[in-house]
Amino acid sequence: MRPFVYERATSPEDAVRAARGKVTANLPPVQAPGQFIAGGTNMTDYMKLDVMRPEILVDVNGIDRNRYGRIEEFDGGIRFGHLVRMAEAEEHPAVKAKYPVIAQSLQLAASQQIRNMATLGGNVLQRTRCDYFREATWACNKREPGSGCSAMDGINRRHALLGTSDQCIASYPGDFAQALIALDALVETQGPKGNRKIRFADLHVEPGNTPNVETVLEPGELITFITVPSGAWTRRSMYLKIRDRQSYEFAVTSTAVALDLDGDTVRDVRIALGGVATRPWRSREAEDALKGKPLTPETASAAADAAFAGAKPRKYNAFKIPLGKETVIRALLETKNMEA
Amino acid sequence: MNVAVPPPKENMGQPVARLEARSKVTGEARYSADFPLNNLAHGVLVTSAIAAGSIKSLDLEAARAVPGVIEIFTQENVKGLKDPKFGQGNSSSVQPFNGPKIWHDEQMLALVVANTHEAAEDAAYRLRASYDETKPSATFDSPGSQTLDAVGNTESHKEDPKLGDVEAALATAPVKIDVKYSTPTQHHNPIELFSTTASWQDDKLTIYEPSQFVYGYKNGVAEQLGVDPANVRVVSPLIGGAFGSKGPMTPRTAVVAYAARALNRPIRCVVSRMQGFTTATYRAETRHHIRMGATPDGRIVAYSHEGWEVTSRPDNYVVGGTETTSLVYAYGAVGTRVQIVKADRNTPGYMRSPPETPYMYALESAMDEMAAALKMDPVEFRRVNDTQKEPIKGRPYTSRSLMTCYDQAAEAFGWKKRNPAVGSMRDGDWLIGMGCSTAIYPTNIGPAAVRVRLSPKGEVRIETAAHEIGTGIRTVAGQMAAEPLGLDMKMVTVETGDTDFPPAPVAGGSNSTASVCSAVLVASNRIRDRLFRAAVTSNDGPLAGRNPGDLGMKGGMIVAADGASVKLADLFGQMGSGVIEEYVEHTPEGMPPESMAKLYSGQSSFKRGSQGDKIRFAFGAEFVEVRIHSRTREIRIPRIVGAFAGGRIMNPRTARSQLMGGMIWGIGAGLLEATEIDPRAARYVNRDLAEYMVAVNADVNQLEVILVPEEDHEVNEAGVKGVGELGNVGTPAAIQAAVFHATGKRIRDLPIRLDDLLNV
């Protein structure tokens, strides 16, 4: 690890000010010299790999937990402070009962020890596990723009097939974000330019020609709250994660599904896909294929086909098209059988 | 007693808890990198970003500028190290600091030494290397790789076993299979990282390093440094996992010792998890081509096995598992050939059951395929071909309880309930499959020396340079003294892993219990004899004039059958002794007499299980149930049953642990483990424990270990066969068979992943 300055912030304003002291023009936030740290489970990992080299780390754990470390139910939704630990959210009775997709997406992530540390604000900003990104001696457009992409023709079983570009196929690894994008979550931030609200669906961006830009956040902008609106679909929802081993592995494929049924007919449905895309991925195509139709193995299969219609496989990840489809079909059918 | 503490059956010792159990779980136990040293400096390795070529230049300026950096050692300023000798005790013949050539991915380029580990690491990041790069050959089929016969080109694989005319037998066999298998690159990944700590006092060097062979390291490092081995001590009291990776010494050890001498300061170098993938050894990928012919009633008339193994450019490493597989069944004819494929890789090395894991996977998978072709029950197919004599030369096994293992494991598993029809068993959305496999491991034994000391209070202290790699060698060695001396285990202290103690062989090949316990048994019996002699010859003692053969020892007393006894303390008083000590050098029968002297000079040799007029092997049978989701095809293992016969079981608790650990490893080997190599660069890409996957707790459900009683007085003095490596031999083939049973798909390339099972 390289030397860095460590500061503790006691308020979001404080944190933003401290991180901003080191803002350099034209650098995306992940490469900015000033970085926030909460649970530290992702940041310290990448610092040890010499992939992230912050000059100043602003510890946000000292920010008022009564306000920013709480889960609050309100009329029309639930609001998570950014300092809520993953383990706290997955065990919260209202989350478990009313938003099972959220509880499951957290429960199936990482390990208990990591979930005890990692915060929700940091979680959604987790960076890719692409092996060529993680090892600093490979060419990587995300790490060093313009250097090339080693994954494109490399060992790319874990890489994305949706939202890719000819610059980058690194997959977004997280689980929680799939639940959030499915449920139309909203993110509140505090930054150098003040406070703003961002649709969760707009938070992450596809790599395009700038794979080093991963979100619309500005350097020094801190996520403060995540709000999830409730709906007829939130209770009948699930997160299905397929992986080689039973625990402690990122999704090979996954899906967040939320259903509102009228008898057998789909009134509303939310489908997000993990392990297959460069960013949290909502499949409106799959949803549109189902809405107004009875949910059967056939319609679920058609929806799954729609979800992967735009997939661009590489050498080792083509199996994720049939697997991703089966994941969606299985999740839809299992969700249908849940009690609403 | 509970599942973890199995009650002893016939010919088994007590399930004593490990002597160091409490210190390990409380964190009190001290591993090699834990020893506090005064004025310690810290070393961090810098490794190459290419796999083939040479170093053009190293830019050290930015690295040197980091505050706290003391010195950077490279090929420029490390002078006079001798190249190691590959084979006996060394992982490779290359000392990378002796020249600019790059032989493999992430080869050591530099050792940065600083006042803190953090400063050394920071500097290591800033060191820049430039290279003259050549196109590397990554693995099998890579352009530029070179294929050689193992016979004639390797030290250990001296012949390809054969019997009769296998081609003719194949040509006329009524039922035939012709199949190819492969196993991937695997890394040991012991949780304790690799490390070297070197400290000089004048011309005396002490090395603290996790090692499976301290005498080998002692002599090897002395040789490379050009110093007298008498001046080198290697300390390795507890090892936090090794699995073969800490057997041969790697080139780092001498470099750290060199640097410590140059700076006149102790240095500790802890190797990162990622660097552990390339600066230590690994299990190379293998390929197998098996052709088998059988009669309709299931007799194997022909077995042809060709194997290919990757090795490095400088060293011809081979495991050559046909030495074992050719002995397993009553084949009519055998043909084998092992070839090595040289590529731009670091030199492979031993990894748990080195030959048996890949070669038995291939043989046992083929056995399942042949059983299916014959429409025979896989257990019955093995029974038809079971034998008490190996087929090649007709030598008998000292004991072989394979079918007893099958019968006991099948019963516990409920094999009868298996519907043999492929794809016939199901639980809701989950397909069920069941498979089985034979496990086999040779009983190796080597020369070992021990010092056993008894005090008047009945305290026993055993000293031996044997290696506590987590197997429980301290505990079973202690039991081997406590039993004949009639003492409680509380009275026993066992010290291991130090070249100041008498030498013991490399902790590999499942030899340690047999080798070390044989020596402890001899020493303990000698002590007993001395005491008995003294007791019967003392003039006025209560046992005076009795026959020593009628005496026993219990609870710190010498006792006769009629209850007459003398306390140890009194007897010591009569003998005028402070302590009684025996130093025993035990060389197994049939080994060359010079093998003991060679052990002191760092050369460990075994009498291998396949050598001699009678051959010595431990056997087991494993049964696996898999569940595969009918849509998404993830593979889960709800239960495994293994039954194993290993001669005398010194301690059912530690034996069960070893076998269980092996079976769990087998889950990983079957379904998860693979080091991925980027073929363009011959570089590993998944160098951490998140991406290099082993089984986690959630993958391990019901797991039953059955210890099958077996008595074998011919195998060795201690009557033990060793079970450390037996447990993981059969699991992958049993999983492969179960996956076929569930799905009808033969996935012959490990690991078996859902990728291969999708309905497309």
Side-chain angles (χ1 to χ4, degrees), chain A residues 1 48 132 135 246 330, chain B residues 121 125 632 636 678 687:
Chain A
M1 205 176 275
K48 285 193 278 187
Y132 299 97
E135 164 57 57
Q246 182 70 22
R330 178 178 161 190
Chain B
E121 202 171 57
Y125 288 145
T632 43
R636 298 293 179 257
D678 189 307
R687 295 186 296 142

Side-chain angles (χ1 to χ4, degrees), chain B residues 23 31 41 64 70 98 148 270-271 342 422 555 609 615 635 668 707 709:
Chain B
S23 75
Y31 293 83
R64 281 194 196 283
I70 303 163
N98 282 355
L148 298 172
V270 178
V271 179
K342 291 168 81 70
V422 163
I615 61 170
I635 310 163
L707 297 169

Side-chain angles (χ1 to χ4, degrees), chain B residues 90-272:
Chain B
N90 288 298
S91 66
S92 164
S93 60
V94 173
Q95 172 49 266
F97 281 75
N98 282 355
K101 188 165 170 58
I102 306 284
W103 295 90
H104 65 83
D105 170 30
E106 302 279 339
Q107 176 180 306
M108 290 193 295
L109 296 179
L111 175 72
V112 178
V113 181
N115 287 322
T116 64
H117 178 81
E118 289 74 14
E121 202 171 57
D122 183 16
Y125 288 145
R126 294 170 202 268
L127 191 151
R128 285 285 160 263
S130 62
Y131 309 96
D132 285 317
E133 200 174 346
T134 54
K135 179 93 185 126
S137 309
T139 180
F140 297 124
D141 302 336
S142 296
S145 61
Q146 184 193 10
T147 303
L148 298 172
D149 268 308
V151 174
N153 289 299
T154 63
E155 278 297 308
S156 64
H157 193 75
K158 296 219 187 313
E159 63 170 321
D160 286 326
K162 70 185 292 271
L163 170 69
D165 185 344
V166 76
E167 295 301 331
L170 278 168
T172 55
V175 184
K176 281 178 259 199
I177 57 165
D178 183 331
V179 283
K180 290 179 175 167
Y181 302 96
S182 73
T183 64
T185 314
Q186 295 178 342
H187 278 79
H188 317 74
N189 276 310
I191 290 301
E192 182 198 23
L193 295 169
F194 301 106
S195 72
T196 304
T197 304
S199 174
W200 292 82
Q201 296 283 330
D202 302 320
D203 61 349
K204 303 264 189 218
L205 168 65
T206 305
I207 303 261
Y208 304 86
E209 177 164 338
S211 167
Q212 289 170 266
F213 188 33
V214 287
Y215 271 75
Y217 282 36
K218 168 192 172 91
N219 287 279
V221 80
E223 164 97 13
Q224 283 190 61
L225 293 168
V227 302
D228 182 351
N231 287 336
V232 180
R233 178 183 173 205
V234 177
V235 181
S236 191
L238 291 174
I239 296 109
F243 317 113
S245 66
K246 294 161 183 171
M249 191 176 72
T250 58
R252 176 192 70 251
T253 309
V255 174
V256 176
Y258 179 98
R261 186 172 59 185
L263 299 180
N264 192 24
R265 200 173 157 178
I267 296 175
R268 173 167 299 150
C269 172
V270 178
V271 179
S272 72

Side-chain angles (χ1 to χ4, degrees), chain A residues 11-31:
Chain A
S11 70
E13 294 75 19
D14 224 21
V16 170
R17 206 179 304 121
R20 194 185 168 188
K22 280 285 181 182
V23 165
T24 313
N26 302 326
L27 273 181
V30 285
Q31 290 176 320

Side-chain angles (χ1 to χ4, degrees), chain B residues 48-92:
Chain B
S48 71
I50 66 163
S54 59
I55 304 168
K56 194 162 26 176
S57 65
L58 294 173
D59 179 0
L60 309 183
E61 201 179 329
R64 281 194 196 283
V66 171
V69 170
I70 303 163
E71 182 59 282
I72 301 173
F73 292 90
T74 71
Q75 43 146 349
E76 295 294 329
N77 59 352
V78 172
K79 298 291 174 200
L81 281 183
K82 274 195 203 135
D83 279 329
K85 288 195 190 93
F86 171 64
Q88 200 43 261
N90 288 298
S91 66
S92 164

